[in-house]
Amino acid sequence: MNEETTTVELTVTGMHCTNCAIAIHQYLEKKEAKDIFVDFASDEVKFSGITAKELPEITKGIENLGFQVLTDESPKESFYKKIETKFWFSLFFTLPLFAHMFIQHPLLHDPYIQLGLCAPVFLLGFFHFGKSAFYSLKNGMPNMDVLIFIGATAAFTYSLIGTLNHLGPDYMFYETCATIITLVLLGNLFEKKSVKKTTSAIGDLIKIQNVTTTKITADLEEIIHTRDVKQGDVLLIKSGDLIPVDGDIIEGDGFVNESMITGESLPVFKDRYATVIGGTTLTEGNIKITATKVGRKTVLSQIIALIKEAQSKKPPIQKLGDKVASYFVPFVVVIAIFTFFITYFIAEISLQQSLMNAIAVLVVSCPCAMGLATPTAVMVGLGRAAKMGILIKGGDTIEEMSDLKYMVFDKTGTLTTGDFNIKAIQTFGIEQKQVESIIAQLEGYSNHPIAKSIRQHMKEVKAYRIVFQDVKEIKSEGLYATDTNSNVYKLINARLGKVDYSNRYDLILSINDVVVAGLVIEDQIKPYAKELIQAIKGKNITPVILSGDRKSKCDLVAQKLGIAEIYSDRNPEEKLNIINKLKKAGITAMVGDGINDAPALTTAHVGISLGDASHIAIQSAKIILLNSDLKSIENLLLIGRHTLQTIKENLFWAFAYNIIAIPLAAMGFLGPMLAAFSMAFSDVIVIGNSLRLRFKKLR
């Protein structure tokens, strides 16, 4: 019997760039961990698939890579260990060392002064990059720090030999060693700060949770932190206040801005018994709420968890970058050795220049840019989608969305409003009031959208009150009930009775198998449905209707919207068969309400759940639209396309940079210092391109 595995969250210090994150990621992959998420900017490491028994070994393994796993008892990262401190320390010694190239002062040109200025920087770099390089080689995963360590050490050793043997200025390259270390630390610092910006969407959401609220106990008001709110607490929310947790309004009314959660820009009016979502703002009015969901159960906490989980899932395109990066370091070391051998022994260039060319090759190469290309774009894309009320479960989903061939829509509640009007009731030998009362009572046992709409249009009449002792709802069929007198009631799909009435009615009511009423129900097409269908057709995606409703109704909706492929009158099993058939022809998305269509949403390549944020079938769909406005689907397609486009641009730059820069360095056109500068800013360019996705217009 397998031990139970759980999701593990660790705080790991000592990660200074994406290179460090990749090392931990690769180590965890070797240990067969799942859903790995490593963010060096926030020192967060998250994974699953590891048992409690294996965790100490995993923790020790991460520390053996040269990092520190913090516990509640562990001290925080020391000031002198922080990347910012190391950079400023290096810069302090590097500036006067570098100045000798422009200022002709004898002290600056003294080899022992240069050695004294370079030694602290070299020792810092030796331990900073050397530690990471050693552990990466020890674990069979050589990283970029190996290249920096070799390059800086070669320049320092060469200069030291020249100093001790009094070989003259041709052997003085201390400024090269110090500048390489300082510029790479600067690049790491920029990288960390820039990557932090790509995860700002999560940061914004987490900030929302970090607020205080007013708790009411026996008419006394007490200010407490959101984390201290318990289920059942009564909270007072005043105009302008942030609603701290999910709850139900028990007193008052007002307008609530839900844009942070659902992407809906206009405030929504809420009165007594309405549900409010934590993280939204009461813009007008005063209300009292009962806390119904607190802590990790709130919609906001689930959104944060979903975004973090999504960032751990790599799109297939990232595997290309990862594969190249894994062979990159040994490949560059070989090129550097060849560069030195060819320039010195064959081209007969001076020893100094040959060495500088080889060091430049080591320093200019940048596997980090390849490592950053995909995750930074995915983080920004997921964050922008989340702010628009679109939750995407994984970078792999973004890539699937860009290659869609079919988009399958459930009709009721998806393309139509789900707010049903009863167009007509035909009764047979029974009063209409009695029929309406029976139907209202039966539909009280169902949460189906049709049931909710019918209850709004029908009232329960006391004179016809029936006590039901056994009520059962069967999906795609209807309600079956028995009363205390053993009478059997059926409110079911009109085609399922002893006689098929589906050509005339949508539902039939029978008592003891005698049909007493037939109901005709009509549904309204949702706003923006027609525009959405035109938009997806324009992207060469085939729209499909897949519904349990009868053919005439599906045909009518399809005709109004311009959909040619229709599958009507299908039960859940038949829906699955159709989804599987479409999947064989191309990548298929299924759009449904996330509850009744859960099996089809799970089976499709991409399940898209439309529905009320507080009743989401989170496990079924890969994408959850908190705002059921169909415009969100078009926004989703645009975000998917632009994110993938950004990933491709980033990968192109990362590959092109290395393909161009390495030969230039080998031929002597890029010295080690310029190479270090180029390498440091290649990462920043990739991250900057990803950050563009936060603001660019989606077209």
Side-chain angles (χ1 to χ4, degrees):
M1 186 176 170
N2 292 329
E3 280 192 63
E4 190 179 342
T5 63
T6 55
T7 299
V8 178
E9 292 185 42
L10 301 174
T11 301
V12 179
T13 61
M15 293 191 286
H16 302 301
C17 66
T18 189
N19 206 33
C20 304
I22 288 169
I24 294 175
H25 201 291
Q26 288 176 335
Y27 170 74
L28 291 171
E29 277 182 339
K30 275 190 173 182
K31 293 295 180 182
E32 298 182 346
K34 305 282 187 290
D35 303 322
I36 303 162
F37 170 66
V38 185
D39 181 14
F40 74 88
S42 63
D43 295 334
E44 188 177 0
V45 175
K46 189 176 175 183
F47 54 91
S48 62
I50 298 296
T51 62
K53 194 176 177 182
E54 295 172 299
L55 189 56
E57 183 195 338
I58 296 286
T59 304
K60 192 176 178 185
I62 292 172
E63 292 192 326
N64 285 341
L65 288 172
F67 307 105
Q68 184 184 0
V69 179
L70 293 186
T71 60
D72 293 337
E73 294 79 32
S74 302
K76 288 196 171 181
E77 188 177 28
S78 308
F79 170 76
Y80 62 86
K81 284 186 177 179
K82 290 185 176 177
I83 194 77
E84 294 94 330
T85 310
K86 289 181 179 181
F87 165 69
W88 290 113
F89 176 85
S90 297
L91 187 66
F92 178 79
F93 290 99
T94 301
L95 285 176
L97 192 57
F98 189 71
H100 93 278
M101 298 175 72
F102 311 100
I103 301 170
Q104 297 302 316
H105 194 285
L107 272 178
L108 292 177
H109 288 264
D110 186 292
Y112 290 100
I113 296 286
Q114 289 191 19
L115 172 60
L117 288 169
C118 181
V121 181
F122 173 69
L123 287 172
L124 183 148
F126 184 89
F127 290 107
H128 178 83
F129 298 111
K131 186 180 178 185
S132 171
F134 172 75
Y135 285 117
S136 75
L137 288 168
K138 184 182 171 186
N139 288 280
M141 297 176 287
N143 62 23
M144 194 190 76
D145 290 344
V146 173
L147 305 177
I148 305 304
F149 178 77
I150 295 171
T153 304
F156 183 80
T157 306
Y158 183 79
S159 303
L160 184 63
I161 291 167
T163 301
L164 296 176
N165 291 294
H166 307 288
L167 298 175
D170 286 347
Y171 283 79
M172 296 297 106
F173 292 101
Y174 288 118
E175 77 285 349
T176 300
C177 170
T179 307
I180 287 171
I181 291 167
T182 304
L183 285 174
V184 174
L185 287 171
L186 177 64
N188 288 174
L189 183 60
F190 277 164
E191 192 179 324
K192 191 157 190 168
K193 289 185 180 297
S194 301
V195 168
K196 222 163 196 167
K197 288 180 184 176
T198 69
T199 57
S200 64
I202 293 181
D204 291 346
L205 293 173
I206 291 171
K207 279 179 196 170
I208 292 172
Q209 294 181 311
N210 193 29
V211 294
T212 56
T213 188
T214 306
K215 178 183 172 183
I216 297 178
T217 314
D219 293 329
L220 294 173
E221 294 184 8
E222 179 189 358
I223 305 296
I224 62 170
H225 195 278
T226 303
R227 63 173 167 266
D228 299 321
V229 176
K230 303 281 189 297
Q231 191 172 345
D233 282 354
V234 176
L235 308 175
L236 173 64
I237 316 293
K238 296 174 184 175
S239 182
D241 284 355
L242 206 69
I243 297 169
V245 295
D246 297 1
D248 293 332
I249 297 175
I250 56 171
E251 190 180 308
D253 57 44
F255 285 90
V256 178
N257 182 347
E258 297 184 333
S259 60
M260 178 57 85
I261 304 296
T262 66
E264 173 58 59
S265 55
L266 294 174
V268 181
F269 179 73
K270 305 264 184 177
D271 56 7
R272 197 175 181 189
Y273 305 126
T275 299
V276 290
I277 305 167
T280 58
T281 305
L282 183 68
T283 57
E284 191 180 319
N286 288 291
I287 56 174
K288 286 182 184 176
I289 67 166
T290 302
T292 55
K293 290 179 184 174
V294 298
R296 292 189 177 185
K297 292 180 181 177
T298 63
V299 170
L300 184 59
S301 293
Q302 288 176 337
I303 290 170
I304 292 166
L306 272 174
I307 297 172
K308 286 184 176 179
E309 181 191 341
Q311 289 175 357
S312 70
K313 293 179 181 173
K314 296 181 183 181
I317 197 168
Q318 187 171 346
K319 290 172 186 172
L320 172 66
D322 288 352
K323 193 167 185 179
V324 172
S326 66
Y327 295 107
F328 191 83
V329 173
F331 175 70
V332 170
V333 172
V334 169
I335 289 178
I337 292 167
F338 267 101
T339 299
F340 179 78
F341 183 83
I342 291 166
T343 51
Y344 185 64
F345 290 105
I346 297 174
E348 296 184 354
I349 294 171
S350 69
L351 176 64
Q352 296 94 326
Q353 188 59 47
S354 300
L355 184 64
M356 289 300 106
N357 289 6
I359 291 171
V361 168
L362 291 169
V363 174
V364 80
S365 54
C366 188
C368 276
M370 286 181 270
L372 283 167
T374 302
T376 52
V378 167
M379 283 176 187
V380 177
L382 291 171
R384 181 159 185 184
K387 285 195 169 185
M388 296 172 81
I390 302 166
L391 301 186
I392 304 171
K393 292 187 186 178
D396 51 345
T397 306
I398 286 177
E399 192 163 342
E400 285 175 322
M401 285 303 296
S402 66
D403 293 323
L404 280 185
K405 186 168 183 184
Y406 296 101
M407 186 170 280
V408 182
F409 295 90
D410 172 51
K411 181 182 74 70
T412 306
T414 303
L415 291 173
T416 59
T417 59
D419 184 16
F420 299 86
N421 298 316
I422 296 163
K423 195 173 182 182
I425 298 177
Q426 179 74 48
T427 59
F428 307 104
I430 188 171
E431 284 185 40
Q432 182 153 330
K433 278 189 180 179
Q434 186 177 353
V435 167
E436 289 184 7
S437 183
I438 293 168
I439 291 169
Q441 289 172 67
L442 280 172
E443 294 291 22
Y445 292 92
S446 173
N447 284 321
H448 193 281
I450 294 178
K452 289 179 181 177
S453 295
I454 289 175
R455 284 202 301 274
Q456 289 174 1
H457 291 91
M458 291 187 169
K459 290 182 180 177
E460 184 183 322
V461 182
K462 286 183 180 178
Y464 302 110
R465 179 74 182 154
I466 298 164
V467 179
F468 293 110
Q469 61 181 17
D470 181 28
V471 180
K472 183 171 66 174
E473 182 177 16
I474 298 176
K475 276 186 184 178
S476 298
E477 291 189 22
L479 290 156
Y480 298 80
T482 309
D483 67 13
T484 49
N485 296 318
S486 299
N487 292 310
V488 178
Y489 295 78
K490 294 178 187 175
L491 181 59
I492 56 174
N493 190 310
R495 64 182 167 82
L496 296 175
K498 287 186 176 179
V499 178
D500 185 349
Y501 285 100
S502 60
N503 61 331
R504 293 162 60 192
Y505 308 113
D506 296 298
L507 299 173
I508 54 168
L509 172 67
S510 68
I511 303 173
N512 297 324
D513 286 331
V514 176
V515 175
V516 295
L519 284 76
V520 178
I521 295 167
E522 64 177 4
D523 193 4
Q524 303 299 311
I525 288 173
K526 271 190 178 180
Y528 206 76
K530 192 166 187 177
E531 292 87 340
L532 172 64
I533 298 303
Q534 294 306 313
I536 64 173
K537 279 181 172 179
K539 298 180 197 304
N540 294 318
I541 301 168
T542 304
V544 179
I545 287 180
L546 177 58
S547 175
D549 210 344
R550 69 177 193 261
K551 188 175 186 302
S552 59
K553 296 222 166 186
C554 291
D555 288 348
L556 186 64
V557 170
Q559 188 182 346
K560 285 181 180 178
L561 298 179
I563 299 174
E565 201 164 333
I566 309 145
Y567 298 93
S568 55
D569 212 12
R570 307 291 169 141
N571 62 36
E573 190 179 344
E574 288 171 329
K575 284 185 177 183
L576 290 186
N577 292 336
I578 290 160
I579 293 286
N580 282 321
K581 185 185 86 172
L582 293 172
K583 278 171 72 179
K584 287 175 185 174
I587 293 179
T588 302
M590 169 74 191
V591 188
D593 63 13
I595 300 166
N596 301 317
D597 298 301
L601 289 170
T602 308
T603 305
H605 287 112
V606 182
I608 302 171
S609 168
L610 274 161
D612 186 338
S614 57
H615 298 93
I616 298 167
I618 284 176
Q619 300 308 319
S620 302
K622 281 190 176 181
I623 296 169
I624 297 155
L625 306 180
L626 300 178
N627 181 355
S628 56
D629 179 357
L630 291 177
K631 176 77 175 168
S632 295
I633 296 177
E634 191 176 356
N635 289 335
L636 165 66
L637 291 168
L638 289 169
I639 287 169
R641 183 166 65 81
H642 282 277
T643 303
L644 192 67
Q645 182 182 321
T646 303
I647 292 170
K648 287 176 178 175
E649 288 168 358
N650 287 350
L651 284 172
F652 173 79
W653 163 255
F655 282 113
Y657 164 80
N658 283 291
I659 288 166
I660 294 167
I662 292 172
L664 285 176
M667 290 184 284
F669 294 112
L670 282 175
M673 285 181 282
L674 188 56
F677 186 83
S678 304
M679 186 276 291
F681 282 92
S682 65
D683 292 349
V684 178
I685 289 169
V686 165
I687 296 165
N689 190 46
S690 294
L691 287 171
R692 238 175 18 102
L693 187 57
R694 286 174 69 185
F695 312 106
K696 71 189 288 194
K697 286 187 177 179
L698 301 176
R699 290 176 183 165

